[in-house]
Amino acid sequence: MESASQDINLNSPNKGLLSDAMMDVPVDSAAAARTAAPEGLTAAEEEELRAEIAKVEEEIGTLRQVLAAKERHCGELKRKLGLTPLDGLKQNLSKSWHDVQVSNAYVRTSEKLGEWNDKVTQSDFYLSASSTLEDWNEKLTQSEAYKKTQETLSQAGQKTSAALSNVGSVISRKLGDMSSYSIRHSISMPAMRNSATFKSFEDRVGTIKSRVVGSRENSTDGLQSPSAGEKPPQDNAPF
């Protein structure tokens, strides 16, 4: 017993090692894996229930595989039709909202809200408050301050409309003046070039230009032509 307690002690250097006496104890693995049967059940009934559980779990696994295959097939069909996951989400939301609307809870809630609305609108407090508000509205619309404010707003709107109309007419007139000026300018240029005054001015400019060019040519010729008694200078510079 002392050796067994020493082997089981966690602080012992021989922890985790079984003694020879404990190794000789037989262990029934099937009995250890099988839990004790509940009271009121025989061994045959327990075996039958365990077999039924295994069968049901096998069917669940098969159904999961079938469901996964069906989901993949449905996704392929949607891709062929060009349906995106967003379309599927919208369809699911629409179906869910429709299911909510036709549910008994929604219908009962709508009926209750309708009944409460009828009771509130037919109550004396609601009728009194509505009549009071109508009186206040009538007094407000008939007051001098309300009328003056309405007239001021109306006049401001009319002035704004007139100002915008004037700005539009001014812009249109300016654009018309610019277009007419460009047309007159394009038309008047050929006529002005063919006029006698323009031709006379052009002739005078041509005469002055010819005189200036002739005087420059004479001065250039005088500088370049040597006199008869002079010899041109010789270049004695060595090569």
Side-chain angles (χ1 to χ4, degrees), residues 42-122:
T42 62
E45 291 175 349
E46 182 183 357
E47 291 295 333
E48 184 180 357
L49 291 176
R50 291 183 183 278
E52 186 69 21
I53 290 174
K55 182 179 178 181
V56 171
E57 289 179 349
E58 184 179 358
E59 291 177 353
I60 290 173
T62 304
L63 291 175
R64 286 177 177 172
Q65 294 177 1
V66 173
L67 179 60
K70 293 291 184 182
E71 288 179 348
R72 287 195 298 270
H73 183 60
C74 182
E76 292 176 358
L77 295 177
K78 288 182 178 180
R79 282 194 296 272
K80 289 180 180 179
L81 291 174
L83 298 177
T84 61
L86 182 59
D87 296 332
L89 179 61
K90 290 179 180 179
Q91 185 177 1
N92 292 333
L93 290 175
S94 300
K95 186 177 181 302
S96 300
W97 177 240
H98 177 71
D99 294 340
V100 169
Q101 287 180 333
V102 298
S103 63
N104 294 328
Y106 183 85
V107 172
R108 288 196 299 269
T109 303
S110 300
E111 292 177 354
K112 288 293 182 182
L113 290 176
E115 292 176 359
W116 291 347
N117 187 25
D118 294 338
K119 290 180 180 179
V120 169
T121 54
Q122 293 177 3

Side-chain angles (χ1 to χ4, degrees), residues 3 12 22 71 91 107 109 120 126 144 161 165 185 190 218 239:
S3 62
S12 174
M22 295 181 68
E71 288 179 348
Q91 185 177 1
V107 172
T109 303
V120 169
Y126 181 84
E144 295 295 332
S161 300
S165 178
H185 181 70
N218 294 331
F239 289 97

Side-chain angles (χ1 to χ4, degrees), residues 226-235:
S227 59
E230 294 180 356
K231 295 182 180 180
Q234 295 181 358
D235 190 0

Side-chain angles (χ1 to χ4, degrees), residues 194-210:
N194 294 326
S195 62
T197 304
F198 187 82
K199 288 182 177 181
S200 176
F201 178 75
E202 190 175 14
D203 294 338
R204 291 180 182 179
V205 172
T207 303
I208 295 172
K209 182 178 179 180
S210 61

